[in-house]
Amino acid sequence: MPQSDTVNRRFLLAARPQGLPTAQDFRLDQAAVPVPAEGQVLLCTLYLSLDPYMRTLMEEGGTSYAPGVTLGAPMIGGTVSRVVASRHPQFQVGELVLANAGWQDYALSDGQDLTALGEMAQPSRALGGLGMPAFTAYVGLLDIGQPRPGETVVVAAATGAVGSVVGQIAKLKGARVVGIAGGADKCRYAVETLGFDACLDRHDPQWAGQLAAACADGIDVYFENVGGEVFDAVLPLLNLGARVPVCGHIADYNRQSLPAGPNRLPLLMATVLQQRIRMQGFIILDHYADRFEAFRRDMGEWIDAGRVIVREDVIDGLENAPEAFIGLLEGRNFGKLVVRVSED
């Protein structure tokens, strides 16, 4: 259980970030543990997922697909939670659920946002390898990227929760996979453990030239989750008919203004036209109804068979969530980042 069964610790949004969030943008608050009304359940948070999209929801107004966090309100976030009190006919005390409890020890739910998980040997996987990040990789790569045997697939943040799965699924489909990651250790892991054909360290001053050499026959699929200078290096290497699924652009999340330098939009538009590129953004929330069942089946089989490897970066203690989240935006995590809030 959390530190107390009478006090609910929760992180509130204290200020809108100016660029990269700081510890001062979050405030640790203590409130009484809420009591469920008729039709509600009380959830105890076991694991909290930390994901890049949370940075966009710290802005006033949020995004087109999700409202922003109100100042003074708890930070949002997916969780694996345990039902500790229930006045809901469909959920029993002790049941493990996938929830949206946010950055706090306890939360109430009317059940509409809950998914029963059953008992899992590693419940945190419901937030990563069997959850939203891997689902993002699955839909973006297979439905939009559509890699063919022998094609070259490039993915940045290659050892992250999404990128690592993108690369491994692409290998399962017979593609050649080139990753881009932040650090020699991550690149070594991508090649030696995940099975990538090559991985370039973006901290190396020569990485862009190394990418061009590693993709001598061009790039057929680029899974975009970073943007910035990575996309600048990829753009001239895209082959005729290349596909570019876009699920994020973390390099730009902390920008307060457009980057300095020439306007790159004409180059982008010319390349998209002349190379007949399909560049498609997608929001994974749109695909749960029609694709999640197939994903859970396929990914469960791949993980059980050892064909897809899932690495977690587990941080202990809710009190460490802000620093861990800041580190995520700086690329300090190694694998799917989760906070272990309670020992159950």
Side-chain angles (χ1 to χ4, degrees):
M1 297 293 288
Q3 291 184 345
S4 170
D5 58 3
T6 60
V7 175
N8 182 27
R9 299 173 304 158
R10 52 187 191 167
F11 271 106
L12 312 181
L13 180 61
R16 304 284 180 199
Q18 302 299 310
L20 182 70
T22 68
Q24 288 68 44
D25 295 326
F26 308 91
R27 178 167 63 86
L28 183 59
D29 175 69
Q30 293 189 349
V33 175
V35 177
E38 189 65 33
Q40 291 184 320
V41 296
L42 176 64
L43 304 174
C44 173
T45 303
L46 305 185
Y47 292 93
L48 165 67
S49 178
L50 296 181
D51 300 285
Y53 78 87
M54 295 174 177
R55 174 62 184 85
T56 65
L57 301 187
M58 295 175 76
E59 298 290 336
E60 187 171 7
T63 68
S64 63
Y65 61 89
V69 180
T70 303
L71 283 175
M75 286 290 296
I76 57 91
T79 63
V80 169
S81 302
R82 183 78 69 182
V83 177
V84 293
S86 178
R87 299 185 66 186
H88 193 294
Q90 296 180 5
F91 296 96
Q92 306 302 313
V93 171
E95 196 168 354
L96 197 66
V97 296
L98 184 65
N100 296 291
W103 296 29
Q104 55 186 342
D105 287 321
Y106 296 95
L108 294 175
S109 172
D110 63 4
Q112 294 188 41
D113 63 337
L114 303 184
T115 300
L117 293 175
E119 289 303 315
M120 300 177 66
Q122 194 170 337
S124 55
R125 279 189 175 173
L127 300 173
L130 293 174
M132 182 271 292
F135 187 37
T136 300
Y138 180 93
V139 169
L141 182 69
L142 297 182
D143 294 8
I144 302 173
Q146 300 179 359
R148 307 180 187 100
E151 289 190 325
T152 295
V153 174
V154 171
V155 60
T159 59
V162 176
S164 62
V165 177
V166 168
Q168 291 180 87
I169 296 177
K171 288 297 295 182
L172 291 177
K173 298 303 178 181
R176 180 174 177 272
V177 177
V178 177
I180 303 166
D185 289 344
K186 291 182 178 181
C187 287
R188 191 175 305 111
Y189 176 80
V191 173
E192 296 179 0
T193 301
L194 302 183
F196 286 35
D197 295 281
C199 188
L200 295 317
D201 180 1
R202 63 177 175 81
H203 296 317
D204 188 320
Q206 306 301 317
W207 79 267
Q210 294 167 1
L211 176 66
C215 302
D217 294 326
I219 297 171
D220 300 293
V221 180
Y222 172 55
F223 194 100
E224 176 62 288
N225 56 1
V226 171
E229 66 176 14
V230 174
F231 184 69
D232 288 345
V234 165
L235 184 61
L237 304 177
L238 292 174
N239 282 335
L240 191 72
R243 288 83 68 198
V244 183
V246 181
C247 78
H249 51 107
I250 191 172
D252 300 314
Y253 287 173
N254 296 311
R255 291 191 188 277
Q256 298 298 293
S257 60
L258 292 175
N263 179 6
R264 303 296 300 279
L265 183 59
L267 174 62
L268 171 61
M269 296 301 291
T271 305
V272 167
L273 173 62
Q274 295 167 18
Q275 295 295 91
R276 290 78 140 181
I277 293 166
R278 182 171 68 171
M279 188 172 186
Q280 180 178 335
F282 69 102
I283 301 298
I284 198 59
L285 295 175
D286 298 337
H287 300 275
Y288 275 86
D290 60 345
R291 294 291 278 142
F292 193 67
E293 184 177 345
F295 156 74
R296 286 294 295 267
R297 181 193 65 240
D298 291 345
M299 188 60 61
E301 291 176 356
W302 292 336
I303 290 176
D304 289 345
R307 302 181 74 191
V308 170
I309 295 170
V310 177
R311 176 170 178 152
E312 294 183 334
D313 191 341
V314 181
I315 306 298
D316 278 309
L318 179 65
E319 65 276 9
N320 295 314
E323 183 60 30
F325 179 62
I326 294 167
L328 170 70
L329 296 176
E330 293 180 319
R332 297 202 303 257
N333 63 299
F334 197 159
K336 171 65 189 116
L337 186 61
V338 296
V339 178
R340 183 166 29 225
V341 178
S342 170
E343 294 289 347
D344 195 18

